[in-house]
Amino acid sequence: MAKPKVKEIDGFEYTLYEKKTYEPDVALQRSREYYQWLDNRRTVRDFSSKPVPKELIENLILTASTAPSGAHKQPWKFCAVSSPDIKSEIRKAAEKEEYESYNSRMSERWLKDLQPLGTDWHKPFLEIAPWLIIVFKKAFDFDEHNEKSNNYYVNESVGLAAGFLLTAIHNAGLVALTHTPSPMNFLVKILERPANERPFLLIPVGYPADEIYVPSLERRPLEKISEFYE
């Protein structure tokens, strides 16, 4: 007898979950290939102005939205900007904050740690990249009666969604930068976001420039990032 696709449990509807699984040797190979593929992902600051279709950005956002969230509240909002005027406004505001950070807010230790990355307060990529995806976290929500509704584990949930988004960007053959000008409240004003939303990440998205170089960095090996208890 076939299992029902939907059933009621304690008054709530549940859907049968069917997941394809693999034999251990196939799973091992898939995990190795996926790691090697994702290990090629790099943060990029040099973008091409080559257009990226809106539908592609929509698919990236939909992929990000598949991330788990506390109590399935999905406490995120993805604002995708392609308008040159708005991108220019964002750049001006971001560079103002970044100038203050590099010249007065950051410690000497912090500035020294940034030197190998070759960063400074100039952020031309905010106008060059065809899209900016601004990830907002929703501290709370409103229900159908316009009453305040709690969200749970907001930072963790939105962080997971941002990770899904970066992976989707890499999968599409695009590049991205996780940009965090601090403070980022100017994004709320420029994009006219409601009071329950807070900027989480500003991610330029697009194709890489024709010739780019990234810092020669090494990720920490397994023994430095993990402990196994067997």
Side-chain angles (χ1 to χ4, degrees):
M1 182 178 178
K3 297 178 180 179
K5 294 293 184 181
V6 178
K7 66 188 307 185
E8 186 176 295
I9 302 176
D10 296 330
F12 296 96
E13 185 180 282
Y14 284 72
T15 301
L16 179 66
Y17 180 58
E18 299 178 290
K19 173 73 173 70
K20 185 176 182 179
T21 60
Y22 305 94
E23 292 301 317
D25 58 333
V26 176
L28 179 61
Q29 179 63 25
R30 287 174 62 89
S31 70
R32 184 182 298 112
E33 290 174 351
Y34 187 74
Y35 158 66
Q36 292 170 344
W37 169 77
L38 200 52
D39 192 39
N40 287 322
R41 188 206 61 80
R42 293 299 303 267
T43 291
V44 165
R45 291 176 172 81
D46 298 305
F47 289 83
S48 166
S49 59
K50 178 181 177 181
V52 173
K54 180 181 178 182
E55 185 179 3
L56 199 163
I57 299 299
E58 291 173 341
N59 288 337
L60 299 180
I61 292 172
L62 285 171
T63 300
S65 74
T66 67
S69 61
H72 195 55
K73 289 289 187 173
Q74 306 167 79
W76 44 63
K77 179 74 73 171
F78 301 91
C79 294
V81 178
S82 64
S83 163
D85 291 340
I86 298 177
K87 288 195 296 179
S88 178
E89 192 175 354
I90 288 174
R91 178 186 177 181
K92 290 175 183 176
E95 287 187 332
K96 180 180 178 181
E97 297 296 347
E98 293 283 52
Y99 180 87
E100 292 297 326
S101 293
Y102 276 88
N103 287 278
S104 61
R105 294 171 181 158
M106 293 179 178
S107 66
E108 290 299 319
R109 178 72 260 179
W110 192 348
L111 291 169
K112 184 177 180 181
D113 286 340
L114 287 174
Q115 285 179 354
L117 304 180
T119 64
D120 60 28
W121 63 271
H122 298 90
K123 308 299 176 184
F125 49 75
L126 292 174
E127 289 189 275
I128 297 172
W131 288 92
L132 304 179
I133 299 179
I134 299 91
V135 184
F136 285 87
K137 62 181 182 181
K138 296 200 284 186
F140 57 90
D141 241 313
F142 297 98
D143 62 19
E144 62 272 16
H145 305 294
N146 204 33
E147 295 181 357
K148 186 175 178 180
S149 173
N150 292 335
N151 288 331
Y152 310 101
Y153 299 104
V154 173
N155 286 331
E156 295 86 347
S157 300
V158 178
L160 287 165
F164 277 41
L165 177 59
L166 293 173
T167 304
I169 291 168
H170 184 61
N171 182 62
L174 302 175
V175 293
L177 167 68
T178 49
H179 185 42
T180 53
S182 181
M184 292 195 287
N185 292 334
F186 62 86
L187 291 166
V188 175
K189 182 178 180 180
I190 291 174
L191 299 178
E192 300 180 346
R193 302 311 306 160
N196 65 322
E197 294 183 9
R198 307 284 189 274
F200 187 81
L201 273 178
L202 169 54
I203 307 178
V205 180
Y207 291 100
D210 289 339
E211 182 175 86
I212 59 172
Y213 290 86
V214 295
S216 299
L217 305 176
E218 291 186 5
R219 293 185 170 94
R220 292 178 177 177
L222 183 63
E223 61 269 18
K224 293 288 187 179
I225 63 170
S226 64
E227 291 284 349
F228 288 82
Y229 299 81
E230 301 178 272

